[in-house]
């Protein structure tokens, strides 16, 4: 049975798009972090660039929700992929995942996408900086480097509230104990309720602390992921020391906001008012072929905004060209697309655009 399932002749390769997957395992990493492991019903090789992410398509309380999560597993284990999610106070989606996704649960995912990855920014000397659950993309990268016997010099600095909150701690210790060129540093906040004996670094990451851990940090390719204040503090240290920020990379999205459908009637009224106020020659025509609808919008407005004004709901999650959820086909015309890694060059060559960050240059026809 296993040989039939893993038959290389019938095995497909994962490509950016919508895929139905099944949860096969749930791992309790810490008190508030779970890892969800997914496989396809038919064998699929889940190849992706370590550090990339997927967008889950969920239905919560009868409402469609899209939410992006970084893949924490490595493509060196190709028949499955995993995401690691922290339960957040008041976190609508994260709490729902913790409470409802179990082995056997099925759901659609979109992806993989993302410019934040170790393949596109390879280097011989690396510095990984993570805070809290921001460790997930860097864990994917570390697993990949370890599994592929990469000849790199890696300094990994992780900040957590307490020792018990260090996600993947045992695995990190194992990996870093086996390769002399890999060095692990863990920082725990200096709080009264830390609750455990801790002889390592305490407090928040500072420049003197970073200099002790990685004296040559200014010579390294840096990958950073964590809460916004953490990443801002890291960038402040680097800029104060004239680090070449072309060698700094960060995961640029936090928790995706809850998807809320626009009030299309109000938007339509605004569009009508805007059209009346403008010279008609300044407006740009946007046609949606499948829906047989057309609208004229102001220069600089996105394809997604044009759809919303017609009451057409193109699914989206991030709104910043990151997640790739709002991908649509461009049948004719030209757009200016300012995306952040949510679409591949292959997709663009095939005529796809991301509606949230594509602005028509002249009349366009969209396949939606």
């Amino acid at each position: 049975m296993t040989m039939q399932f893993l038959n290389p002749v019938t095995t497909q390769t994962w490509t950016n798009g919508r895929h139905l997957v099944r949860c096969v395992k749930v791992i309790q990493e810490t008190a508030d972090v779970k890892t969800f492991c997914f496989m396809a019903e038919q064998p699929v090789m889940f190849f992706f660039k370590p550090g990339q992410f997927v967008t889950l398509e969920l239905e919560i309380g009868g409402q469609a929700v899209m939410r992006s999560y970084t893949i924490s597993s490595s493509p060196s284990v190709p028949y499955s992929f995993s995401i690691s999610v922290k339960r957040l106070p008041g976190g609508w989606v994260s709490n729902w995942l913790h409470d409802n996704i179990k082995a056997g649960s099925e759901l659609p995912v979109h992806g993989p996408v993302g410019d934040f990855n170790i393949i596109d920014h390879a280097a011989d000397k690396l510095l990984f900086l993570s805070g809290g659950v921001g460790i997930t993309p860097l864990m994917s990268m570390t697993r990949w480097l370890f599994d592929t016997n990469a000849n790199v010099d890696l300094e990994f600095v992780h900040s957590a509230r307490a020792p018990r909150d260090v996600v993947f701690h045992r695995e990190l210790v194992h990996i870093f104990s086996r390769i002399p060129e890999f060095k692990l540093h863990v920082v725990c906040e200096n709080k009264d309720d830390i609750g455990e004996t801790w002889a390592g670094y305490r407090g928040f990451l500072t420049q003197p602390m970073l200099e002790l851990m990685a004296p040559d940090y200014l010579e390294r390719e840096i990958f950073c992921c964590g809460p916004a204040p953490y990443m801002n503090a890291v960038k402040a240290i680097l800029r104060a020391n004239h680090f070449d920020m072309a060698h700094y990379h960060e995961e640029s999205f936090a928790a995706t906001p809850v998807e809320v459908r626009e009030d299309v009637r109000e938007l339509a009224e605004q569009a009508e008012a805007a059209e009346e106020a403008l010279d008609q020659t300044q407006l740009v025509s946007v046609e949606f072929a499948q829906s047989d609808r057309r609208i004229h919008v102001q220069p600089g407005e996105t394809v997604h905004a044009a759809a919303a004004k017609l009451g057409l709901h193109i699914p989206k999650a991030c709104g910043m060209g990151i997640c790739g959820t709002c991908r649509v086909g461009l049948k004719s015309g030209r757009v200016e697309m300012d995306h952040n890694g949510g679409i591949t060059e292959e997709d663009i060559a095939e005529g796809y655009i991301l509606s949230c960050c594509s602005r028509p240059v002249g009349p366009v026809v969209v396949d939606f």
Side-chain angles (χ1 to χ4, degrees):
M1 181 67 180
T2 301
M3 292 303 296
Q4 291 179 350
F5 179 82
L6 301 181
N7 186 342
V9 175
T10 59
T11 299
Q12 299 179 359
T13 301
W14 200 20
T15 55
N16 182 20
R18 185 180 187 271
H19 309 273
L20 185 66
V21 297
R22 174 170 49 87
C23 180
V24 293
K25 186 187 300 181
V26 180
I27 302 169
Q28 189 80 49
E29 302 285 0
T30 66
D32 55 5
V33 175
K34 284 184 177 181
T35 290
F36 301 94
C37 308
F38 297 97
M39 296 181 71
E41 202 60 47
Q42 296 298 320
V44 171
M45 300 283 280
F46 291 102
F47 292 134
F48 55 93
K49 297 176 182 179
Q52 291 189 307
F53 61 91
V54 293
T55 300
L56 309 187
E57 182 180 325
L58 307 168
E59 184 174 331
I60 303 176
Q63 183 174 345
V65 180
M66 311 292 286
R67 189 60 54 92
S68 299
Y69 291 98
T70 306
I71 303 169
S72 55
S73 57
S74 166
S76 52
V77 183
Y79 283 97
S80 67
F81 73 93
S82 304
I83 60 171
S84 300
V85 181
K86 181 176 181 178
R87 179 191 287 272
L88 299 170
W92 186 41
V93 178
S94 63
N95 289 346
W96 186 90
L97 290 171
H98 273 243
D99 295 337
N100 292 276
I101 298 298
K102 300 174 175 59
S105 300
E106 291 187 340
L107 69 156
V109 299
H110 300 254
V113 291
D115 285 336
F116 183 76
N117 67 80
I118 197 68
I119 303 299
D120 292 338
H121 309 287
D124 294 332
K125 297 179 67 174
L126 304 169
L127 173 59
F128 290 174
L129 299 168
S130 63
V133 79
I135 194 173
T136 56
L138 304 183
M139 191 64 194
S140 177
M141 296 179 189
T142 300
R143 286 165 164 163
W144 168 256
L145 295 172
F146 179 74
D147 290 344
T148 58
N149 296 302
N151 184 24
V152 297
D153 180 341
L154 170 62
E155 298 277 0
F156 195 137
V157 180
H158 177 65
S159 297
R161 197 188 67 82
R164 62 178 176 270
D165 296 316
V166 180
V167 189
F168 316 120
H169 198 181
R170 288 184 180 179
E171 185 178 352
L172 283 168
V173 170
H174 169 73
I175 289 175
F176 283 82
S177 69
R178 297 178 67 84
I179 302 179
E181 294 78 18
F182 284 19
K183 297 179 181 65
L184 175 66
H185 313 275
V186 177
V187 184
C188 289
E189 293 179 19
N190 187 15
K191 286 184 174 290
D192 296 335
D193 62 347
I194 197 168
E196 298 174 63
T197 301
W198 180 248
Y201 294 97
R202 294 175 71 107
F204 296 102
L205 183 66
T206 61
Q207 181 177 329
M209 198 183 294
L210 185 57
E211 290 173 348
L212 285 173
M213 299 173 186
D216 60 350
Y217 70 96
L218 294 176
E219 303 169 12
R220 295 175 176 270
E221 199 79 13
I222 298 178
F223 293 81
C224 181
C225 187
Y230 173 85
M231 294 194 292
N232 289 337
V234 167
K235 286 184 285 189
I237 292 172
L238 297 177
R239 287 171 176 148
N241 288 276
H242 309 292
F243 179 76
D244 183 356
M245 297 303 285
H247 296 284
Y248 171 85
H249 316 278
E250 70 177 31
E251 180 59 280
S252 56
F253 69 95
T256 308
V258 175
E259 175 68 15
V260 179
R261 290 177 181 253
E262 294 89 349
D263 185 340
V264 294
R265 289 184 181 177
E266 181 179 346
L267 284 171
E269 291 172 1
Q270 292 174 357
E272 290 174 4
E275 286 195 30
E276 291 175 1
L278 277 174
D279 183 338
Q280 292 295 309
T281 60
Q282 298 178 23
L283 300 177
V284 181
S285 170
V286 182
E287 180 181 343
F288 296 91
Q290 292 183 31
S291 306
D292 194 23
R293 302 288 301 280
R294 177 184 296 176
I295 190 171
H296 288 82
V297 298
Q298 299 179 38
E301 288 194 80
T302 65
V303 171
H304 200 279
K309 289 175 179 178
L310 289 171
L312 303 177
H313 179 66
I314 301 175
K316 74 170 182 176
C318 70
M320 297 180 290
I322 295 175
C323 70
T325 308
C326 65
R327 189 184 72 161
V328 293
L330 181 65
K331 294 177 70 70
S332 67
R334 188 168 66 87
V335 300
E336 291 181 347
M337 181 166 54
D338 186 20
H339 70 90
N340 288 291
I343 189 168
T344 65
E345 293 299 326
E346 291 80 4
D347 286 341
I348 295 173
E350 291 176 8
Y352 290 102
I353 62 171
L354 299 183
S355 64
C356 76
C357 57
S358 294
R359 294 168 175 80
V361 179
V364 298
V365 179
V366 178
D367 190 17
F368 187 81

